[in-house]
Amino acid sequence: MASSPADSSLVSVTPRSMNGTWMSGTMHNTSLDYSNMSGSRYQRPRPPLQSFQDFSDTGVFSSQATLEQRHREEEDRLQRFLLEEREKEMRRLDESIGQEKEVAAMELLSAFEQMRLQGQSPNLMVERERIEEHFNKSREDQMKTMIDKIATEEKTRSAKMLERHGMEMMQLIAEKDRVLDRSALFDHTMRPAVVPPESKKAQLYSSPAQFEAIDKRAIEIAKTEYGSFTELVRDLTRDCANELQKARALFRWVIAKDLGKHNVHEIIRPNARASILKGVRSGKETYHQLFKKLCNFAGLHCEIILGFSKGAGYKPGMRIEGATFRNSWTAVAIDGNWRIVNCTWAARHVTGHKDDLPQMFHKYDEFYFLTDPEDYIYQHYPDDSAWQLMDIPLPFSEFQNLPVVKSPFFNYGLKFYSNYGATLNTDTGMVEIRVITPKILGFGSLLEPYDKSGESSKSVEGRTLLRLVKNEAIFTINLPKTGLYQFSVYTGDYWQSECLESACSFLVNCKQILGVASPPYPPVPFYGPTPVMEKLKMKEENQLDPLIVSNGENLEISYSLCEKIKLTHTFQYFDVSDNSVSDIDRYVFLRSRTDALANYMVRCPKEGFYIFSLYAADGENEAQTLDCAYRYLIICQEPNPAVNVFPKTFHRWQRCTLHEPVSGDLMTHKRYTFRVDVPKAVEVFLVIGEIWHHLKRKLAFTFEGNINTGGTPCTAKIYARFSNERDSSLFAHLLDYELVDDAETEI
């Protein structure tokens, strides 16, 4: 009688010896060798069975349940064998230690007898305690060595069994491929060639949001304990229509599952209770082996890759040698393309509080799901160069010379402006790092001596400058002296974010400094635009770089904007002698403000650092506070000794223009021409003391007058009236000048 597809299986699962070799029977491996083919020279394998429905209709799940039961019997038999081997080794150790103790005791008694005959009175109890302590420590050391050796052997045996079981599971599914389509060119035994993928991750999916339903289901399933992998994978892939969705469901389940390990006593004598996760929880299996097993049940080819990783404890410039920084990860084949997956690095379990009670939350890092090879190579280097999955493999020496680049760098869409090495050398004390950004992000940095024990980190405070220029974040490092330093960049999604993630780090080698080291920069987070500029549709017109070097000339800074925007500003001087910041607003002046443009004049009275900050808000929202829109750093190298302050402005000066005089301090006994543009004004006056001087209207809204300042030092004020009422209370205060005997002013 012919059997149904659900009941039949052409896979012959035969017992094997414990070292993974055949005891009897043969399994045919129909896998094709694509190792010499390039990514464009062969058709990517795509077996007939793809969706959950395909697996269900062809009876894959019921056949898998039978095969899984046989596999579990083999696993249990292997565990019983390994447990017996552990106990034998422990008995041998105890017997060996016991024999050594007996010999030591006999030698001790003999020595004591000799000492007694010589008239000495040794303390037998003290010596016995010393010997007991010695052998207890010896037993602990030998026990640890033995456990490590046994654990390594167990992991090796388990890995071999996992590999064989995976092949058998894929062959079972391949037989169902032939049941569905006997003329199919490919089946699940055909392992894709290890070549670069045809497309980038971004072409597979544009956002994790498209997996929202799959992710939610996987996380919910992770709360339930399953008795078999068949049932687990069946439920995880129930709504999956293709291999991409299957891989996603398995990935999210693994990193959502709390797979805590047991302590050392449970490793020595494992708990025999049935659990499909006991291998991982006992430390005999890794996250990667678990993911590989799940993939095989789902019909996905998966390989565990061994190599080196720049993980915890690694610093830029460190050499990678021997067994240091060894690691593993996985690659899964999706539609015939190998994609990198790292469940271990993707899983984050964060401790927090809910309702004032401690609670564990799980988070995940999207970067480690189907990572693009050219990004992954910054952190991981496989032993087999083919698993770099790049057209031109990277030499190991160049991998070591790459800067430390972490997942937030890629998650936020950052790119390096040029190819930086792990070590940045400088003969001047100055280093610049440029990072391309997709939008305005939050940035921070940390500069510290490479050898923290030898020098205080305070010596490098204020030695980094960050400025945002168009789509670049430019970090300038100004070192105080020669030596080795570590420089790290942090980033976040919001420009004012206080929680930033580590993005990349470098080793800075300062070999010499030309001349005297430059002073530290002002304590300002960054210079350049904030998102307020884009929100209010403002744009810098002339000074595109927020770093301005002045040689004593008057500076002009202009912004294009719309009519309804409210503006204000601050101007500060940073004194490097005591790191103090002082306000000097009278050295910056809003010379002209129209509906489309704001023009500022800036003067620097002496050498040093100046900070000009522009604040803006939507004028239609009266309750809205003005936020920082742009910030400049002005470095004055050659100040003009004759520079003067500007007039003092008041709120109603907005949308007015000053033509002359632009100096805020005017001399007494001198005649000046005052010319201003005051839109919508009816009258404009210059008030000196008690005398009101009327400025005559010229063209449109320009008012002008040639006036003598008189002989008394005082404040000269410009007022304007914006209605036909003659009441003086309706006059708006626009500007103030100071009339002085000597117009020279210092800050």
Side-chain angles (χ1 to χ4, degrees):
M1 182 177 67
S3 59
S4 67
D7 297 328
S8 67
S9 174
L10 301 180
V11 176
S12 175
V13 183
T14 55
R16 297 187 182 208
S17 66
M18 293 305 168
N19 63 7
T21 59
W22 289 108
M23 292 179 63
S24 64
T26 303
M27 185 180 78
H28 299 287
N29 185 359
T30 58
S31 176
L32 299 182
D33 182 9
Y34 295 115
S35 58
N36 295 322
M37 298 184 183
S38 67
S40 60
R41 289 170 53 196
Y42 80 101
Q43 185 178 356
R44 307 272 172 162
R46 185 175 174 82
L49 300 184
Q50 292 287 316
S51 67
F52 169 86
Q53 197 61 47
D54 293 339
F55 274 52
S56 180
D57 292 345
T58 54
V60 170
F61 297 122
S62 58
S63 297
Q64 282 182 329
T66 302
L67 180 57
E68 182 183 3
Q69 181 59 37
R70 296 177 184 176
H71 285 172
R72 294 188 69 171
E73 291 172 0
E74 290 187 13
E75 292 170 357
D76 291 342
R77 186 165 68 250
L78 175 60
Q79 292 305 315
R80 291 194 300 271
F81 169 78
L82 294 175
L83 179 59
E84 289 181 3
E85 291 298 304
R86 282 172 177 262
E87 293 175 345
K88 286 180 183 178
E89 291 297 323
M90 292 180 65
R91 285 196 297 270
R92 291 193 190 102
L93 177 60
D94 289 338
E95 290 173 0
S96 175
I97 293 293
Q99 292 173 0
E100 291 179 10
K101 287 176 67 175
E102 289 181 6
V103 172
M106 294 297 294
E107 292 176 349
L108 177 63
L109 290 175
S110 176
F112 268 61
E113 183 64 23
Q114 292 293 329
M115 295 172 67
R116 189 179 63 79
L117 293 175
Q118 296 174 4
Q120 301 178 17
S121 301
N123 191 328
L124 181 61
M125 293 301 297
V126 172
E127 288 300 314
R128 286 183 61 183
E129 290 177 358
R130 184 184 64 80
I131 291 176
E132 191 70 27
E133 182 180 352
H134 166 75
F135 280 103
N136 285 340
K137 186 177 185 305
S138 176
R139 184 181 185 280
E140 290 178 3
D141 294 341
Q142 293 184 56
M143 175 72 76
K144 184 178 183 303
T145 302
M146 181 197 73
I147 290 174
D148 291 342
K149 180 180 178 182
I150 293 175
T152 300
E153 183 179 354
E154 289 179 354
K155 288 179 180 179
T156 301
R157 290 177 179 270
S158 297
K160 289 182 178 180
M161 178 174 286
L162 172 67
E163 186 68 27
R164 175 171 59 84
H165 287 176
M167 291 175 60
E168 292 172 353
M169 190 61 67
M170 295 299 283
Q171 183 154 345
L172 180 151
I173 301 172
E175 293 165 5
K176 303 300 183 181
D177 285 325
R178 298 302 175 184
V179 171
L180 183 65
D181 184 0
R182 292 191 174 275
S183 62
L185 294 176
F186 304 106
D187 61 41
H188 276 80
T189 61
M190 298 178 181
R191 178 177 177 268
V194 183
V195 295
E198 293 176 304
S199 60
K200 301 296 184 185
K201 174 178 178 176
Q203 294 174 270
L204 285 182
Y205 68 99
S206 58
S207 169
Q210 74 183 65
F211 297 121
E212 182 178 359
I214 292 175
D215 290 357
K216 184 177 180 180
R217 178 176 176 82
I219 294 170
E220 192 63 30
I221 289 176
K223 300 175 183 178
T224 303
E225 294 296 330
Y226 279 78
S228 73
F229 282 104
T230 300
E231 295 175 355
L232 172 61
V233 174
R234 182 185 60 199
D235 285 354
L236 282 172
T237 61
R238 187 175 299 277
D239 298 326
C240 298
N242 52 50
E243 293 183 341
L244 173 61
Q245 293 178 351
K246 287 182 180 181
R248 180 67 180 195
L250 304 181
F251 168 77
R252 290 296 272 124
W253 180 87
V254 170
I255 62 178
K257 193 70 177 175
D258 185 7
L259 300 172
K261 295 182 179 179
H262 297 304
N263 57 39
V264 66
H265 300 292
E266 292 173 312
I267 295 176
I268 296 174
R269 292 183 173 85
N271 192 329
R273 68 183 179 88
S275 171
I276 62 174
L277 301 178
K278 64 182 180 182
V280 180
R281 286 178 170 149
S282 66
K284 296 185 181 70
E285 293 181 9
T286 65
Y287 272 76
H288 307 308
Q289 290 173 321
L290 173 61
F291 182 69
K292 176 180 172 65
K293 182 180 290 188
L294 293 171
C295 285
N296 292 153
F297 271 82
L300 301 176
H301 284 280
C302 182
E303 296 294 336
I304 297 175
I305 315 302
L306 302 178
F308 295 95
S309 294
K310 295 180 178 180
Y314 182 85
K315 293 183 178 181
M318 291 179 66
R319 308 308 299 172
I320 300 177
E321 298 174 340
T324 309
F325 301 112
R326 292 293 294 171
N327 218 315
S328 61
W329 55 95
T330 55
V332 60
I334 297 176
D335 296 332
N337 292 271
W338 287 104
R339 306 283 180 174
I340 299 169
V341 175
N342 193 330
C343 293
T344 302
W345 286 37
R348 296 182 183 179
H349 290 90
V350 182
T351 302
H353 287 80
K354 184 177 182 180
D355 299 329
D356 296 328
L357 296 175
Q359 190 169 347
M360 183 73 74
F361 299 91
H362 90 273
K363 297 180 67 176
Y364 80 99
D365 194 332
E366 187 69 30
F367 174 74
Y368 295 105
F369 179 64
L370 313 186
T371 316
D372 286 327
E374 62 271 20
D375 296 340
Y376 200 73
I377 196 64
Y378 274 94
Q379 296 178 332
H380 299 78
Y381 193 91
D383 294 337
D384 183 351
S385 61
W387 284 111
Q388 291 185 29
L389 299 178
M390 298 197 301
D391 290 323
I392 303 177
L394 188 75
F396 186 66
S397 59
E398 294 185 21
F399 166 73
Q400 293 191 94
N401 193 42
L402 290 175
V404 175
V405 182
K406 300 186 177 180
S407 59
F409 184 91
F410 302 104
N411 290 339
Y412 290 112
L414 303 180
K415 296 180 181 179
F416 289 120
Y417 180 81
S418 60
N419 295 324
Y420 297 109
T423 302
L424 305 176
N425 297 302
T426 174
D427 293 326
T428 64
M430 304 291 287
V431 174
E432 185 176 87
I433 300 170
R434 302 171 68 176
V435 177
I436 300 173
T437 67
K439 63 176 183 178
I440 296 178
L441 298 169
F443 282 103
S445 63
L446 176 64
L447 178 67
E448 54 188 347
Y450 196 78
D451 182 7
K452 298 180 183 179
S453 61
E455 187 176 352
S456 171
S457 59
K458 289 187 177 181
S459 64
V460 291
E461 288 182 356
R463 291 289 171 175
T464 58
L465 169 69
L466 168 60
R467 66 190 201 272
L468 306 180
V469 184
K470 294 185 178 179
N471 65 331
E472 288 185 43
I474 304 175
F475 297 86
T476 303
I477 306 171
N478 165 22
L479 298 171
K481 62 180 182 179
T482 59
L484 294 176
Y485 301 84
Q486 181 171 326
F487 179 70
S488 302
V489 175
Y490 300 83
T491 189
D493 193 45
Y494 182 53
W495 72 283
Q496 288 182 316
S497 176
E498 296 181 357
C499 183
L500 301 176
E501 300 177 83
S502 178
C504 58
S505 56
F506 302 83
L507 174 67
V508 181
N509 181 15
C510 181
K511 300 178 180 179
Q512 65 176 352
I513 294 179
L514 299 178
V516 180
S518 300
Y521 298 113
V524 175
F526 73 94
Y527 299 90
T530 74
V532 174
M533 292 283 288
E534 182 177 357
K535 179 181 178 182
L536 299 179
K537 298 180 180 179
M538 298 173 59
K539 184 180 179 182
E540 59 271 39
E541 285 295 312
N542 58 341
Q543 304 287 356
L544 303 183
D545 192 327
L547 175 62
I548 301 175
V549 178
S550 170
N551 292 316
E553 70 277 10
N554 289 336
L555 301 175
E556 288 197 17
I557 300 175
S558 299
Y559 300 94
S560 61
L561 38 75
C562 66
E563 178 183 0
K564 302 297 183 180
I565 293 177
K566 295 186 294 185
L567 294 177
T568 188
H569 65 270
T570 61
F571 193 51
Q572 298 170 306
Y573 176 74
F574 176 67
D575 192 335
V576 297
S577 64
D578 59 2
N579 293 333
S580 63
V581 177
S582 56
D583 293 326
I584 52 169
D585 284 343
R586 291 199 65 192
Y587 286 91
V588 63
F589 180 67
L590 179 58
R591 182 175 187 176
S592 174
R593 165 66 197 274
T594 67
D595 292 341
L597 188 71
N599 176 259
Y600 286 88
M601 294 185 65
V602 180
R603 291 172 174 168
C604 301
K606 63 180 181 179
E607 182 180 349
F609 295 112
Y610 295 84
I611 307 159
F612 173 70
S613 302
L614 179 71
Y615 297 83
D618 185 353
E620 294 184 344
N621 187 351
E622 293 296 332
Q624 184 178 359
T625 58
L626 279 74
D627 295 322
C628 182
Y630 207 100
R631 189 182 289 122
Y632 282 97
L633 175 64
I634 302 172
I635 302 177
C636 182
Q637 296 179 334
E638 298 180 11
N640 185 346
V643 69
N644 290 328
V645 297
F646 290 108
K648 182 179 180 181
T649 62
F650 293 86
H651 174 70
R652 193 58 185 83
W653 177 251
Q654 294 276 346
R655 294 182 175 79
C656 299
T657 300
L658 174 65
H659 295 285
E660 56 180 327
V662 293
S663 175
D665 287 349
L666 304 179
M667 296 183 66
T668 56
H669 302 289
K670 191 171 182 180
R671 185 172 291 276
Y672 292 92
T673 297
F674 292 84
R675 184 159 59 96
V676 294
D677 292 345
V678 187
K680 300 181 181 180
V682 176
E683 293 178 299
V684 177
F685 293 89
L686 173 67
V687 180
I688 301 177
E690 299 296 328
I691 304 174
W692 288 59
H693 300 274
H694 187 268
L695 301 185
K696 296 181 180 180
R697 182 190 293 272
K698 296 296 182 179
L699 296 175
F701 42 78
T702 300
F703 295 83
E704 183 179 319
N706 187 270
I707 299 169
N708 191 300
T709 57
T712 304
C714 64
T715 300
K717 304 178 180 182
I718 293 183
Y719 288 93
R721 188 168 64 85
F722 293 92
S723 70
N724 292 323
E725 298 294 332
R726 292 290 181 177
D727 189 340
S728 62
S729 64
L730 297 179
F731 280 80
H733 196 175
L734 302 183
L735 296 175
D736 275 359
Y737 290 90
E738 294 298 325
L739 304 184
V740 296
D741 291 330
D742 184 358
E744 294 183 4
T745 305
E746 295 183 357
I747 62 171

